[in-house]
């Protein structure tokens, strides 16, 4: 984050897009956006080293949208993404940014969705198609997706696509696009196979890497909470209720989010206000002054508005939304621990943002400890304690005699015992802060939780073979199939996290794969029609076959090597494919 940020209005984006950005409450371009947008607007190729959470979607969607010809109904932009989840998310982002482009149409296509539906949607002529490589290949093979008029192509999370075994498909697809198309490739890492693609298919790409500075912040106690089970607002309130922090600064991404969150906190009884770029200088200064004077306890701020903020009583910084990069993180948490005091920093990290967390830890060379939320009992006790205090204060400081009379009268009128009456009044008095909290939800079964929290397979837990069935696929080594092709296809088509796929064994003309028990018939039916290496897999349950780990000697050579079972990052040799047309870079 530089000291003089570029504004979205400096970026020469069309007014329709600027309007959406303003409505979304984006204040300034994130670093990756500030660098990528001008390059992509000029028609250059871009190689972005960036991961989820950096704002990379807008970094390519905004400039590419500005080049869409709404009158043409052939796909002009194709985005390839590793998973259906990401494909849908990217398509939604396009739709939101294009809300003031009348007639604009984006279509996500991914495995697991019916072909008939996709065909119908493809016929409507989407301007942008966002798809997983397998499905895109299928549609290209069937002739139902035309990419001869593509102006641009984006490979999103290229390293993930490599890891999931899609890289051959990606190359085949790229080779079919017009040589004139522009390319943007985003990847958190740059393994050799991806470098190779960039050399073969991209034209002098500009590499965009967001530099991160290191800094020491020894007086700041840094923690993070991985978002799960509880929503972020409830989590925040739990934290705020169970400790004393003095002043607090909470960082959110957008101007809209700052006002919304400040309002919600106010509704829960906190002295909170927003601090964002929509406020004029005078109002911002007044708001900061109120924090200094302890008339406010919480400011909910955007990065820009909080730049340089120096308030000594700030004891806690909450990264409600993860910052875009290390520099922003360092700046944010530096708003506490001022003038040699101690400070606390808590960051909320969604499971899919874990990589950004790791990057921050690496760059700051400090581990950020994971924390649990304060327990329900603790919150409940704190609430009771503060209620008790309020009641004692009122009894000792206020003239409550007239109220005693009222209570007497009420008891007579309602024919209630005073204890029941008091309970009803207590019930009414608790408002946004119930004094009796609902029981903690049962922790979700491990399997499901990991599905949601997975940061896509970086660690594999041990597989419980009793939970798996064995299936037979009618594709084998002689079709050029590799383990990773099977993983990628099944993960996307059946929406099974790759970590829950058991052993895969390749034979010459068939393969077997272990999949979680209880697969719904529709999913199995769906999987039957999936193609791997151009051949229908026609999957069937092998009844009576018991899933067990492969004996070491049984492991097909070259398929199980690497870090662990089913190492999906292995090399790409050996898949005999049609010779690929090469294109000079
Ligand atoms: P991404 O890294 O593309 O997954 O984006 C992460 C999140 O940041 C999304 O929720 C975006 O809506 C949000 N976002 C992207 N760009 C900006 C921006 N310039 N200002 C505020 N929020 C943004």
């Amino acid at each position: 984050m530089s000291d003089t940020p570029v504004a979205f209005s400096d970026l020469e984006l069309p007014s329709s897009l600027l309007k959406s950005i303003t409505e979304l409450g984006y204040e300034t371009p994130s670093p990756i956006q500030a660098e990528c947008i001008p390059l992509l607007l000029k028609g250059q190729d871009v190689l972005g080293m960036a991961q989820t959470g950096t704002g990379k979607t807008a970094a390519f969607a905004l400039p590419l949208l500005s080049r869409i010809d709404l009158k043409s109904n052939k796909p002009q932009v194709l985005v390839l993404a590793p998973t259906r989840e990401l494909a849908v998310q990217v398509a939604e982002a396009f739709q939101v940014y294009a809300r003031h482009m009348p007639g604009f149409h984006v279509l996500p296509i991914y495995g697991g969705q019916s072909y008939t539906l996709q065909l119908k949607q493809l016929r409507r002529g989407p301007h942008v198609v966002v798809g997983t490589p397998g499905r895109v290949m299928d549609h290209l093979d069937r002739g139902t997706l035309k990419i001869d008029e593509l102006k641009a192509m984006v490979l999103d999370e290229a390293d993930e696509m490599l890891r999931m075994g899609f890289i051959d498909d990606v190359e085949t697809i790229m080779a079919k696009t017009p040589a004139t198309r522009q390319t943007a490739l985003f990847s958190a890492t740059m393994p050799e196979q991806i470098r190779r693609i960039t050399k073969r298919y991209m034209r002098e790409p500009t590499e965009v890497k967001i530099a991160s500075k290191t800094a020491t912040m020894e007086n700041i106690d840094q923690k993070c909470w991985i978002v799960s089970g509880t929503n972020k607002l409830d989590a925040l309130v739990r934290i705020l209720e169970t400790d004393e922090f003095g002043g607090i600064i909470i960082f959110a991404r957008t101007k809209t989010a700052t006002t919304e969150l400040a309002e919600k906190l106010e509704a829960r009884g906190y002295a909170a206000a927003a601090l964002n770029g929509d406020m004029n200088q005078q109002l911002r200064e007044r708001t900061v002054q109120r924090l200094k004077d302890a008339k406010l306890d919480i400011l909910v701020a955007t990065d820009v508005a909080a730049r340089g903020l120096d308030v000594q009583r700030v004891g806690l910084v909450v990264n409600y939304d993860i910052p875009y990069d290390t520099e922003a993180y360092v700046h944010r948490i530096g708003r506490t621990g001022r003038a040699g005091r101690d400070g606390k920093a808590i960051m909320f990290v969604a499971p899919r943002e874990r990589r950004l967390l790791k990057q921050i830890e690496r760059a700051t060379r400090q581990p950020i400890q994971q924390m649990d939320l304060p327990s329900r009992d603790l919150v409940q006790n704190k609430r009771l304690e503060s209620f008790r205090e309020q009641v004692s204060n009122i009894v000792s400081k206020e003239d409550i005699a007239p109220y005693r009379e009222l209570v007497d009268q009420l008891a007579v009128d309602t024919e209630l015992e005073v204890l029941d009456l008091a309970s009803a009044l207590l019930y009414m008095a608790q408002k946004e802060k119930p004094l009796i909290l609902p029981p903690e939800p049962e922790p979700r079964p491990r399997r499901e939780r990991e599905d949601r929290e997975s940061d896509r397979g970086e660690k594999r837990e041990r597989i419980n073979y009793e939970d798996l069935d064995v299936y037979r696929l009618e594709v084998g080594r002689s079709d050029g199939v590799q383990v990773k092709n099977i993983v990628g296809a099944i993960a996307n088509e059946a929406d099974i996290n790759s970590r829950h796929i058991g052993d895969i064994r390749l034979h010459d003309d068939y393969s077997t794969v272990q999949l979680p028990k209880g697969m719904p018939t529709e999913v199995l039916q769906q999987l039957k029609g999936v193609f791997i290496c151009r051949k229908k897999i026609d999957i069937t349950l092998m009844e009576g076959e018991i899933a067990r780990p492969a004996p070491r000697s049984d492991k097909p050579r070259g398929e199980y090597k690497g870090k662990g079972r089913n190492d999906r990052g292995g090399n790409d040799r050996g898949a005999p494919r049609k010779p690929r047309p090469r294109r000079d870079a």
Side-chain angles (χ1 to χ4, degrees):
M1 207 168 45
S2 74
D3 285 340
T4 44
V6 261
F8 273 111
S9 53
D10 298 336
L11 291 178
E12 298 185 13
L13 289 165
S15 57
S16 59
L17 293 177
L18 289 176
K19 197 168 165 199
S20 314
I21 293 167
T22 312
E23 287 168 359
L24 286 169
Y26 291 6
E27 199 163 46
T28 38
S30 72
I32 191 104
Q33 291 163 0
E35 292 223 31
C36 286
I37 294 176
L39 293 168
L40 289 174
L41 280 175
K42 275 191 254 163
Q44 293 185 14
D45 282 3
V46 166
L47 186 59
M49 300 269 282
Q51 52 234 319
T52 301
T54 52
K56 68 178 160 65
T57 317
F60 62 79
L62 293 171
L64 297 183
L65 273 172
S66 75
R67 297 179 47 203
I68 295 284
D69 173 7
L70 290 170
K71 287 188 230 70
S72 158
N73 58 1
K74 278 206 173 174
Q76 296 160 57
V77 174
L78 172 66
V79 183
L80 293 182
T83 61
R84 66 158 103 175
E85 181 204 17
L86 187 63
V88 168
Q89 204 175 303
V90 169
E92 279 171 0
F94 267 96
Q95 195 62 63
V96 170
Y97 298 137
R99 54 157 68 133
H100 297 297
M101 292 171 59
F104 172 77
H105 185 192
V106 54
L107 177 66
I109 51 174
Y110 47 83
Q113 211 187 22
S114 100
Y115 277 101
T116 332
L117 179 68
Q118 285 178 355
L119 282 178
K120 215 158 99 195
Q121 290 170 326
L122 278 166
R123 277 197 213 108
R124 282 179 57 206
H127 301 101
V128 175
V129 171
V130 188
T132 49
R135 248 327 143 94
V136 168
M137 274 286 284
D138 280 356
H139 282 290
L140 289 176
D141 284 348
R142 292 164 184 236
T144 41
L145 170 64
K146 301 264 188 292
I147 51 171
D148 47 330
E149 286 190 17
L150 273 197
K151 291 183 185 158
M153 162 145 199
V154 180
L155 307 187
D156 199 5
E157 302 200 356
D159 48 355
E160 273 301 306
M161 293 200 274
L162 171 71
R163 211 180 58 78
M164 292 180 73
F166 291 138
I167 213 67
D168 290 340
D169 286 347
V170 170
E171 274 204 69
T172 314
I173 297 166
M174 288 191 92
K176 289 187 176 175
T177 57
T180 48
R181 55 104 189 70
Q182 180 183 15
T183 311
L185 183 151
F186 291 86
S187 197
T189 56
M190 278 294 155
E192 187 43 42
Q193 286 110 312
I194 294 188
R195 283 261 170 233
R196 206 182 64 212
I197 291 195
T198 66
K199 290 203 188 98
R200 198 176 290 171
Y201 295 98
M202 293 177 77
R203 277 179 309 232
E204 295 168 27
T206 307
E207 213 165 297
V208 175
K209 218 178 190 174
I210 305 302
S212 37
K213 279 188 201 150
T214 56
T216 50
M217 301 144 292
E218 274 130 19
N219 57 333
I220 302 170
D221 172 27
Q222 302 171 57
K223 296 246 164 54
C224 65
W225 175 63
I226 308 289
V227 181
S228 60
T230 311
N231 70 44
K232 291 209 266 187
L233 179 63
D234 288 339
L236 176 65
V237 170
R238 273 201 191 192
I239 293 167
L240 299 182
E241 274 192 54
T242 41
D243 211 342
E244 282 294 321
F245 299 102
I248 297 167
I249 299 188
I250 300 175
F251 284 93
R253 278 231 161 142
T254 63
K255 291 184 274 194
T256 335
T258 60
T259 24
E260 281 175 10
L261 185 54
E263 278 166 15
K264 284 182 185 149
L265 289 171
E266 268 196 300
R268 292 185 184 221
Y270 292 97
L275 186 76
N276 64 43
D278 273 350
M279 300 157 63
N280 65 32
Q281 186 62 23
Q282 205 189 1
L283 183 55
R284 277 200 255 172
E285 279 169 17
R286 253 203 330 254
T287 310
V288 173
Q289 192 57 45
R290 287 174 63 214
L291 181 72
K292 285 186 181 160
D293 299 343
K295 292 191 176 115
L296 273 180
D297 289 324
I298 303 178
L299 284 190
V300 188
T302 53
D303 286 298
V304 178
R307 185 161 288 130
L309 199 117
D310 186 7
V311 179
Q312 294 191 5
R313 68 179 278 265
V314 171
L316 172 72
V317 165
V318 180
N319 283 286
Y320 193 79
D321 296 326
I322 197 165
Y324 300 118
D325 56 14
T326 313
E327 239 177 290
Y329 176 76
V330 171
H331 177 269
R332 285 178 176 193
I333 72 166
R335 299 313 96 208
T336 182
R338 309 296 292 176
R341 299 181 186 205
D342 286 339
K344 249 189 178 173
I346 295 177
M347 172 156 62
F348 290 174
V349 182
R352 59 190 322 271
E353 293 164 343
R354 276 190 181 149
R355 279 200 179 187
L356 211 51
L357 167 68
K358 291 218 179 80
Q359 183 186 306
I360 291 172
E361 287 183 308
R362 258 200 309 275
T364 56
R365 300 213 182 85
Q366 281 170 27
I368 301 176
Q369 222 185 7
Q370 275 191 32
M371 60 176 266
D372 290 326
L373 290 182
S375 71
R376 164 188 181 273
D377 287 352
L378 187 60
V379 175
Q380 201 166 285
N381 289 342
K382 285 276 177 190
R383 284 188 185 175
L384 271 178
E385 197 180 297
S386 110
F387 201 85
R388 255 195 317 265
E389 222 169 274
Q390 262 178 307
V391 173
S392 316
N393 270 340
I394 290 173
V395 172
S396 62
K397 292 189 188 138
E398 306 286 341
D399 175 16
I400 57 164
Y403 292 85
R404 282 187 69 115
E405 278 175 33
L406 264 186
V407 170
D408 267 343
Q409 188 60 48
L410 271 173
V412 173
D413 294 349
T414 54
E415 296 179 15
L416 286 174
E417 283 181 30
V418 174
L419 194 56
D420 284 336
L421 185 58
S423 310
L425 294 174
L426 187 56
Y427 183 89
M428 287 161 71
Q430 53 185 0
K431 288 192 202 122
E432 292 282 340
K433 289 186 180 171
L435 293 167
I436 299 173
L437 290 167
E440 300 266 16
E442 288 283 313
R444 270 174 284 134
R446 196 175 161 70
R447 174 172 292 269
E448 189 192 331
R449 197 169 59 227
E450 262 149 18
D451 245 344
R452 295 235 241 132
E453 289 175 15
S454 112
D455 48 5
R456 294 212 217 99
E458 270 169 15
K459 54 177 179 352
R460 280 180 65 86
E461 87 274 29
R462 242 198 278 177
I463 292 241
N464 191 354
Y465 286 90
E466 284 167 14
D467 295 343
L468 299 173
D469 275 335
V470 185
Y471 289 84
R472 178 185 160 110
L473 315 182
E474 300 307 324
V475 283
R477 260 200 223 107
S478 56
D479 302 300
V481 166
Q482 297 180 48
V483 166
K484 57 190 182 179
N485 304 127
I486 297 182
V487 174
I490 291 182
N492 268 343
E493 296 285 342
D495 198 19
I496 296 174
N497 187 298
S498 62
R499 288 193 288 157
H500 298 146
I501 301 176
D503 289 350
I504 293 173
R505 292 179 209 169
L506 301 179
H507 301 265
D508 279 347
D509 51 0
Y510 74 99
S511 318
T512 62
V513 55
Q514 300 168 349
L515 298 174
K517 281 205 158 104
M519 181 172 347
T521 336
E522 313 87 76
V523 179
L524 187 64
Q525 219 41 47
Q526 178 70 41
L527 273 178
K528 271 187 185 298
V530 169
F531 283 73
I532 301 180
C533 290
R534 309 259 158 91
K535 207 170 158 201
K536 215 178 192 175
I537 63 172
D538 205 12
I539 185 169
T540 42
L541 176 68
M542 297 177 80
E543 306 228 16
E545 187 81 10
I546 293 168
R548 45 173 81 87
R552 284 210 148 270
S553 58
D554 190 29
K555 291 181 177 178
R557 228 168 297 135
E559 295 295 350
Y560 285 88
K561 69 181 183 202
K563 286 168 273 161
R565 203 162 34 78
N566 297 351
D567 172 35
R568 272 110 208 200
N571 67 40
D572 246 335
R573 294 167 297 113
R577 286 187 164 271
K578 287 190 219 142
R580 244 175 255 120
R582 301 222 162 170
R583 180 174 295 124
D584 289 330

